[in-house]
Amino acid sequence: MGCLDEGHFNVELENGVSIGCALGVEEDANTAAIENAVKVLLLGLGEDINREGLRKTPLRVAKALRHGTKGYSQKVKDIVQGALFPEAGLDNKIGHAGGAGGLVIVRDLNLFSYCESCLLPFQVKCHVGYVPSSQRVVGLSKLSRVADVFAKRLQEPQRLADEVCSALHQEIKPAGVAIILQCTHIHFPHIESVFLDSTNQGSIKILVSSGSGVFENRKADVWIDFFSLLKFRGIDMEKVHFRGSSDLCWCPSLSAKISSKFVSINPVMVTAVASILKSLGEDPLRKELVGTPSRFVKWLMNFQSSDLEMKLNSFHCNGMNSLNSNGEVSLSNKQICSELNLPFWSQCEHHLLPFHGVVHIGYLMYEGFNPIGKSLLQSIVHFYGFKLQVQERLTRQIAETISPLLGGDVIVVVEASHTCMISRGIEKFGSNTATIAVLGRFSTDPSARAMFLQSIPSASSAGQ
Amino acid sequence: MGCLDEGHFNVELENGVSIGCALGVEEDANTAAIENAVKVLLLGLGEDINREGLRKTPLRVAKALRHGTKGYSQKVKDIVQGALFPEAGLDNKIGHAGGAGGLVIVRDLNLFSYCESCLLPFQVKCHVGYVPSSQRVVGLSKLSRVADVFAKRLQEPQRLADEVCSALHQEIKPAGVAIILQCTHIHFPHIESVFLDSTNQGSIKILVSSGSGVFENRKADVWIDFFSLLKFRGIDMEKVHFRGSSDLCWCPSLSAKISSKFVSINPVMVTAVASILKSLGEDPLRKELVGTPSRFVKWLMNFQSSDLEMKLNSFHCNGMNSLNSNGEVSLSNKQICSELNLPFWSQCEHHLLPFHGVVHIGYLMYEGFNPIGKSLLQSIVHFYGFKLQVQERLTRQIAETISPLLGGDVIVVVEASHTCMISRGIEKFGSNTATIAVLGRFSTDPSARAMFLQSIPSASSAGQ
């Protein structure tokens, strides 16, 4: 694909900036097909596809998906070729080193991939080991690049590990290759269950492995050497899945029970997602992909546009008016109350990609006075989370909604991880966003703000 | 530059794979000029530029440098344009949120830049904050992309912070922008001093900041909000340099005292580096760059090829022969001895980029028998580190050299961070490489290996 597969989807282009290098006709057609499918999805969500935040979303989604699946058009041979270097080893009788038997390990390669079951990106921390033979070694960065070729496809952790392993084995022809992947999948909440039960927060993690040659046997001593140098990386050897050791079913969409009365699957949207799979070069009839379009639509429908008024009326007059009118009460009479780490899920309206994290709410209240409970605050957070959103708006909407309920002096902090900062061309793993909204006294009193902000625990950072 | 500045230097191209999109004539000429200059440098180091590992090094270095300085040809306007979104705020009288005054923070953006004083890459952890105004916000990823435009140039931390700050202020027109950069520069060892004193290991770190608008005044309350949400990120507000607060002189090459009797600067090499600066679009006569070519050559000369025999003869017959011939001694008679965390510096011969970390050495020895001291082992490590190297070879060479001195049963583990895995198109921040060489009993006895490997402390991981 020439320069196309490399840079085209990487950078500014998502905003429609013209590019110097003409798109191939086929790529043009595929991108346009994905754009059209995304428009169908947005309409199915009840959105106005012409509003400012969504106008370029179809193009952004098309670029992101094509970037995230560019591995389909990459060849491992092209990457490894020219990066095999002669390197002396030792006489086998005296030991193993260098190009003959000296174990080489590259740890902590951050990648992302797309889940073939639900089409959401998942994160991968990849550890690669290989035992050189024939007096040659491979350039270290190639281990990362080859892993990325297979990560940038629709995947499932075990297959990803197996494909990286066998590709490296075939191209490097070493004594053996070992792959360990720590995969992290966003939890798959359902709007009805999450309002009832907020315990299913966080992520689903899985550890898979694959081995070839001297690593073929999972009991081989060389695995112990490998694991010894992976310790303290959260890897428990006992918890690693070896190839064929179990039927994995890690994607939460596969185990999710969705009551049909809440979610009706729009067949037009399902067809649109199937057409996206086709445009990416996949076969929508491949066994593992048959249910993917409807699972993706189910996920999306969590975030459908809703004009329903929130049923907060019953809480409105709970003594708040007297507090509201009493704006000059000194801070010493009131105390800062807080609800920290309320989880939320949302969907970035610019990229149709999830962002999730926690909300911290602070308010000033007379001691012992607790106007509304944590569960209502959590419901309000979910209500505004389950939409196509931007984090700044989510923060403001929560603050505006709770302010009259909590006396008007309110601070809301949202901490989130954005998938759109990891997938696409950005790949800023570990980056993390915070937004703040302040009302009443919190907007004018820096010490009240500081007191609240300092009470936020560090571990909260966006559910990582 | 169209697609050229984006993808061209990103991926497989370093191995000379042909590209579909033709290089511009000027870019061709610049790349060729850098290649020629790199050949001059390799020859100046006493290397054979036709040996396998070095044959494509000039091209790789040219691609890496052009990728690492592509910011010169990027425009902030192109990046931000089209990514400003209307977003409602609050009435200013009641508070601040969303597109009017709601602080937005993106934390932990990993970047790298090139030090203008010595031409080595340095790592940057970037934290950006801004206060929206005029009812609009910017796409979060643009904060990262704009920071990257200025990081991908020859830089100095404070100027980098200032440039990112003022570019964001100008394009977003917010109420204010705040930038905090945690910069990490590799230590700049000198071959003569490091043999005498191994305490100057690790990295040089600096914290700089820049603020505009409401962040212009470093005492402004909004800085406290920002810092509150950066806590637990190793940021001590007291240690942050504010613009103009001091004359920074962070690059260790500026403070290094090099005795001229050890290092003579080859003027042909200096001229070659100056021509590289010119090819990257820089002015080699710019005040801050005038001394850069000679400083880079000084750095490089640490790694010159040397055929000198190591002066290890005096240690050779220290009772080792009897041990060597006694190969069947049981493990229970000998014990595993180790020297852990011996620091090293080296230079990747494929990319002329530093890699550094620690070496762990294990050997079997009768109790109380200590044939050679830690300082000799450290000297051997430095001897093989200060060359154009690959980690696999370094590991083997150390093992081969110490094996006869330590009785033949030897294990060497090298843990390293490779700059070439961070700069260039890879950007695998946090990745880390381990290589192992085993001789004698360590190559046949997995339990001896496991015992040693498990004694390696986790904190050792490659001096990060």
Side-chain angles (χ1 to χ4, degrees):
Chain A
M1 283 180 70
C3 77
L4 191 74
D5 51 342
E6 310 310 346
H8 180 64
F9 300 111
N10 273 1
V11 197
E12 293 85 334
L13 307 176
E14 66 175 26
N15 291 314
V17 174
S18 69
I19 40 166
C21 198
L23 273 172
V25 175
E26 195 187 335
E27 286 76 19
D28 254 350
N30 282 333
T31 302
I34 299 173
E35 282 186 74
N36 288 332
V38 174
K39 284 179 193 162
V40 171
L41 296 177
L42 291 174
L43 291 168
L45 288 170
E47 291 285 352
D48 168 8
I49 60 171
N50 292 315
R51 77 172 164 91
E52 189 73 19
L54 292 181
R55 214 162 38 82
K56 290 177 186 160
T57 296
L59 181 61
R60 288 191 203 97
V61 174
K63 304 280 190 195
L65 277 172
R66 290 184 52 80
H67 173 80
T69 56
K70 68 179 182 179
Y72 288 117
S73 57
Q74 293 178 316
K75 288 200 182 68
V76 174
K77 193 185 281 297
D78 295 341
I79 292 173
V80 174
Q81 212 170 43
L84 289 168
F85 300 98
E87 196 53 54
L90 294 175
D91 176 348
N92 192 37
K93 273 179 282 186
I94 65 164
H96 310 295
L103 178 59
V104 175
I105 297 172
V106 177
R107 302 171 286 198
D108 296 326
L109 295 167
N110 286 314
L111 308 170
F112 77 91
S113 188
Y114 277 88
C115 175
E116 67 180 11
S117 299
C118 70
L119 217 47
L120 294 180
F122 63 95
Q123 283 195 56
V124 183
K125 198 175 272 289
C126 172
H127 312 284
V128 182
Y130 81 101
V131 176
S133 73
S134 311
Q135 315 276 333
R136 61 180 190 172
V137 297
V138 68
L140 295 171
S141 66
K142 305 309 170 193
L143 301 173
S144 170
R145 284 179 164 160
V146 169
D148 203 46
V149 165
F150 296 97
K152 289 224 166 44
R153 300 179 183 200
L154 305 190
Q155 279 291 8
E156 175 276 318
Q158 184 64 56
R159 194 175 69 238
L160 175 56
D162 292 344
E163 290 182 351
V164 175
C165 183
S166 67
L168 286 174
H169 196 92
Q170 190 175 333
E171 293 301 328
I172 307 176
K173 299 196 172 38
V177 175
I179 305 290
I180 300 269
L181 305 180
Q182 295 172 282
C183 299
T184 307
H185 195 304
I186 191 176
H187 207 91
F188 204 89
H190 297 291
I191 197 159
E192 78 272 26
S193 65
V194 92
F195 273 98
L196 301 171
D197 171 18
S198 279
T199 55
N200 59 348
Q201 52 183 286
S203 313
I204 289 124
K205 292 177 193 288
I206 199 172
L207 260 173
V208 298
S209 68
S210 190
S212 68
V214 295
F215 288 98
E216 182 79 43
N217 177 1
R218 57 172 288 186
K219 306 275 186 204
D221 296 321
V222 68
W223 272 113
I224 296 171
D225 299 349
F226 189 31
F227 276 111
S228 295
L229 289 168
L230 288 181
K231 66 179 171 177
F232 304 117
R233 283 179 160 73
I235 294 179
D236 182 348
M237 194 171 169
E238 299 301 310
K239 291 189 180 156
V240 173
H241 290 266
F242 282 81
R243 188 165 17 186
S245 65
S246 69
D247 273 336
L248 295 177
C249 170
W250 88 310
C251 173
S253 77
L254 294 170
S255 55
K257 296 183 196 78
I258 304 177
S259 52
S260 54
K261 64 177 172 169
F262 283 99
V263 184
S264 65
I265 307 294
N266 177 339
V268 178
M269 293 173 78
V270 173
T271 306
V273 178
S275 85
I276 290 176
L277 297 181
K278 198 141 178 276
S279 300
L280 296 176
E282 267 287 3
D283 172 12
L285 298 178
R286 171 156 79 81
K287 184 169 57 105
E288 298 83 359
L289 294 177
V290 168
T292 302
S294 61
R295 283 189 290 266
F296 183 70
V297 172
K298 279 180 194 164
W299 160 268
L300 265 192
M301 292 310 285
N302 283 315
F303 306 97
Q304 68 185 299
S305 179
S306 154
D307 292 327
L308 289 175
E309 281 288 313
M310 277 200 81
K311 296 285 181 289
L312 297 175
N313 300 337
S314 55
F315 298 89
H316 247 306
C317 309
N318 207 348
M320 289 301 106
N321 287 337
S322 60
L323 282 176
N324 261 339
S325 61
N326 196 1
E328 293 306 298
V329 163
S330 77
L331 184 54
S332 60
N333 288 346
K334 290 183 173 180
Q335 62 180 16
I336 297 179
C337 307
S338 61
E339 288 294 350
L340 305 178
N341 291 314
L342 303 168
F344 77 93
W345 284 266
S346 195
Q347 189 85 344
C348 163
E349 72 178 27
H350 300 151
H351 304 97
L352 283 196
L353 284 168
F355 67 101
H356 70 292
V358 290
V359 178
H360 311 294
I361 293 172
Y363 52 98
L364 292 181
M365 197 54 63
Y366 293 106
E367 203 175 338
F369 197 91
N370 183 10
I372 58 176
K374 179 175 180 175
S375 68
L376 178 62
L377 292 177
Q378 178 69 71
S379 294
I380 293 169
V381 165
H382 282 317
F383 178 82
Y384 288 110
F386 283 113
K387 294 183 181 340
L388 299 194
Q389 269 288 14
V390 297
Q391 188 176 330
E392 296 89 337
R393 188 187 312 148
L394 172 66
T395 314
R396 174 181 59 79
Q397 287 174 332
I398 294 170
E400 282 184 318
T401 304
I402 64 173
S403 172
L405 303 175
L406 291 171
D409 300 315
V410 161
I411 180 167
V412 175
V413 175
V414 179
E415 298 192 275
S417 290
H418 287 251
T419 312
C420 63
M421 292 289 280
I422 297 168
S423 61
R424 308 190 304 137
I426 312 266
E427 309 212 6
K428 291 298 172 202
F429 293 93
S431 81
N432 185 292
T433 303
T435 42
I436 307 180
V438 284
L439 278 90
R441 183 175 294 273
F442 282 103
S443 68
T444 53
D445 183 346
S447 67
R449 277 205 307 274
M451 223 181 293
F452 173 74
L453 290 174
Q454 273 150 34
S455 74
I456 298 175
S458 67
S460 72
S461 31
Q464 290 219 316
Chain B
M1 282 181 70
C3 76
L4 191 74
D5 51 343
E6 308 312 345
H8 180 64
F9 299 112
N10 271 2
V11 199
E12 294 86 333
L13 308 177
E14 65 174 30
N15 291 314
V17 173
S18 68
I19 41 166
C21 199
L23 273 173
V25 176
E26 194 187 337
E27 286 75 21
D28 255 349
N30 283 333
T31 303
I34 299 173
E35 281 187 73
N36 288 332
V38 173
K39 283 178 194 163
V40 170
L41 296 177
L42 292 174
L43 291 169
L45 288 171
E47 291 286 352
D48 169 10
I49 59 172
N50 292 314
R51 77 174 166 88
E52 190 74 18
L54 293 180
R55 215 160 40 79
K56 289 177 187 159
T57 296
L59 181 60
R60 287 191 203 96
V61 174
K63 303 280 190 196
L65 277 173
R66 290 183 52 80
H67 174 80
T69 56
K70 68 178 182 179
Y72 288 117
S73 58
Q74 293 178 317
K75 289 200 182 68
V76 174
K77 194 183 280 296
D78 295 342
I79 293 172
V80 174
Q81 210 170 44
L84 289 168
F85 300 98
E87 196 53 55
L90 294 176
D91 177 347
N92 192 38
K93 273 178 284 185
I94 66 164
H96 310 293
L103 178 60
V104 176
I105 297 173
V106 178
R107 301 171 287 197
D108 296 327
L109 296 167
N110 286 315
L111 309 169
F112 77 91
S113 188
Y114 277 88
C115 175
E116 66 179 10
S117 299
C118 69
L119 217 50
L120 294 179
F122 64 94
Q123 283 195 55
V124 183
K125 199 175 270 289
C126 172
H127 311 285
V128 182
Y130 81 101
V131 176
S133 73
S134 310
Q135 315 274 334
R136 62 179 190 174
V137 299
V138 68
L140 295 170
S141 66
K142 304 310 171 193
L143 301 174
S144 171
R145 284 178 164 161
V146 169
D148 203 45
V149 165
F150 295 96
K152 289 225 166 44
R153 301 180 182 199
L154 306 190
Q155 279 290 6
E156 176 276 318
Q158 184 63 57
R159 193 175 70 239
L160 176 55
D162 291 344
E163 289 181 352
V164 175
C165 183
S166 67
L168 287 173
H169 195 92
Q170 190 177 331
E171 293 301 329
I172 306 174
K173 298 195 173 41
V177 176
I179 305 290
I180 299 268
L181 305 180
Q182 295 172 282
C183 299
T184 307
H185 195 302
I186 191 176
H187 207 91
F188 204 89
H190 297 290
I191 197 161
E192 79 273 26
S193 66
V194 93
F195 272 99
L196 302 172
D197 171 19
S198 279
T199 54
N200 60 348
Q201 52 183 287
S203 313
I204 290 124
K205 291 176 192 288
I206 200 172
L207 261 174
V208 297
S209 69
S210 191
S212 68
V214 296
F215 288 97
E216 182 79 43
N217 176 2
R218 57 172 290 187
K219 307 276 186 203
D221 295 322
V222 68
W223 272 113
I224 295 172
D225 298 350
F226 189 30
F227 277 111
S228 295
L229 288 167
L230 289 181
K231 66 177 173 179
F232 304 116
R233 282 176 162 76
I235 294 178
D236 182 347
M237 194 172 168
E238 299 301 311
K239 292 189 179 155
V240 173
H241 290 266
F242 281 81
R243 188 165 16 184
S245 66
S246 69
D247 273 336
L248 295 177
C249 169
W250 88 310
C251 173
S253 75
L254 294 171
S255 55
K257 295 184 197 77
I258 303 176
S259 50
S260 53
K261 64 177 173 171
F262 283 99
V263 183
S264 65
I265 306 294
N266 178 338
V268 178
M269 294 172 78
V270 173
T271 306
V273 179
S275 85
I276 291 176
L277 297 182
K278 197 140 178 279
S279 300
L280 296 176
E282 266 288 2
D283 173 11
L285 298 178
R286 170 155 80 81
K287 183 168 59 104
E288 297 83 359
L289 293 178
V290 169
T292 302
S294 61
R295 283 189 290 266
F296 183 69
V297 172
K298 278 179 194 165
W299 160 268
L300 266 192
M301 290 310 285
N302 283 316
F303 306 98
Q304 68 184 300
S305 179
S306 153
D307 290 330
L308 290 173
E309 279 289 312
M310 275 200 83
K311 295 286 179 289
L312 296 174
N313 300 338
S314 57
F315 299 91
H316 245 307
C317 308
N318 207 350
M320 290 300 105
N321 288 337
S322 61
L323 283 176
N324 260 340
S325 62
N326 195 3
E328 294 306 299
V329 163
S330 76
L331 183 54
S332 60
N333 289 344
K334 291 183 174 181
Q335 62 180 17
I336 296 177
C337 308
S338 61
E339 290 292 351
L340 304 179
N341 290 314
L342 302 169
F344 78 94
W345 283 266
S346 196
Q347 190 84 343
C348 163
E349 71 178 27
H350 300 150
H351 304 96
L352 283 196
L353 284 168
F355 67 102
H356 71 291
V358 290
V359 178
H360 311 294
I361 293 172
Y363 53 98
L364 293 181
M365 196 54 62
Y366 292 106
E367 201 175 339
F369 196 91
N370 184 9
I372 58 176
K374 179 175 181 176
S375 67
L376 179 62
L377 292 176
Q378 179 68 71
S379 295
I380 293 169
V381 165
H382 282 317
F383 178 81
Y384 288 110
F386 284 113
K387 293 184 182 340
L388 298 194
Q389 271 287 16
V390 298
Q391 187 177 332
E392 297 89 337
R393 189 188 312 147
L394 172 67
T395 313
R396 174 182 59 77
Q397 289 174 331
I398 294 170
E400 281 185 318
T401 303
I402 64 173
S403 172
L405 303 175
L406 290 172
D409 300 316
V410 161
I411 180 166
V412 175
V413 175
V414 178
E415 298 192 274
S417 290
H418 287 250
T419 312
C420 63
M421 292 290 280
I422 297 167
S423 60
R424 308 188 306 136
I426 311 267
E427 310 212 7
K428 290 300 173 203
F429 292 93
S431 82
N432 185 291
T433 304
T435 43
I436 306 180
V438 284
L439 277 90
R441 183 174 293 271
F442 281 103
S443 68
T444 54
D445 183 345
S447 67
R449 277 205 307 274
M451 224 181 292
F452 172 75
L453 291 174
Q454 274 151 34
S455 74
I456 297 175
S458 67
S460 72
S461 31
Q464 290 222 316

